[in-house]
Amino acid sequence: LKRGLKTGKEKLQYSQMNRLQKLLDSCIPSKLLQNDVLPLFDLRPEASFNFHAFNMPQARYFSFRREGQLVQSLCDKLVSEGDPEDAHWTLGFTNSSFAGEFSETLVQAMYR
């Protein structure tokens, strides 16, 4: 751990920031894009938020119907296990292409 951290809360915040940075490094290798997508310099670790990220498999997507049903069931499971409904959710697509009815079915899945 970083030297100079005094309290357990500071250690936890530092650990959370490291985990978030590792996630960003794996999903968005470019530091310039990271700062554009999620500027961490403005992130307040003491703020409370509930954030979930699902990395989607690398694929050529023509539709999001099947994947949307799977994501919906995962979200429902987390909520039924006591996860707050006001959580923030994101989907990550890396090295994927999109065609066909993908955008329409993605929007439909997001409104469920």
Side-chain angles (χ1 to χ4, degrees):
L1 274 177
K2 186 177 177 182
R3 290 184 179 180
L5 297 179
K6 305 275 188 234
T7 66
K9 183 178 178 182
E10 289 174 331
K11 290 177 184 177
L12 178 64
Q13 289 173 352
Y14 181 76
S15 172
Q16 289 171 340
M17 291 298 291
N18 275 344
R19 288 176 43 206
L20 181 58
Q21 187 61 55
K22 286 179 183 178
L23 174 68
L24 282 176
D25 289 342
S26 68
C27 296
I28 309 171
S30 166
K31 294 290 183 188
L32 289 173
L33 287 176
Q34 284 181 15
N35 287 334
D36 188 43
V37 173
L38 184 64
L40 290 180
F41 62 85
D42 197 27
L43 184 66
R44 296 178 308 156
E46 70 277 0
S48 62
F49 63 94
N50 193 357
F51 181 78
H52 299 285
F54 295 117
N55 284 327
M56 300 301 291
Q58 177 180 339
R60 181 172 171 100
Y61 292 93
F62 291 98
S63 175
F64 195 73
R65 287 186 210 288
R66 186 173 42 110
E67 292 84 355
Q69 292 171 350
L70 178 61
V71 169
Q72 182 65 42
S73 66
L74 287 171
C75 294
D76 290 344
K77 182 177 185 232
L78 287 171
V79 169
S80 72
E81 291 175 351
D83 202 36
E85 291 185 28
D86 63 343
H88 301 280
W89 302 83
T90 186
L91 294 172
F93 294 91
T94 305
N95 296 328
S96 297
S97 60
F98 311 98
E101 62 180 16
F102 176 81
S103 58
E104 292 87 9
T105 55
L106 175 67
V107 170
Q108 289 172 0
M110 297 298 110
Y111 279 109
R112 285 189 213 148

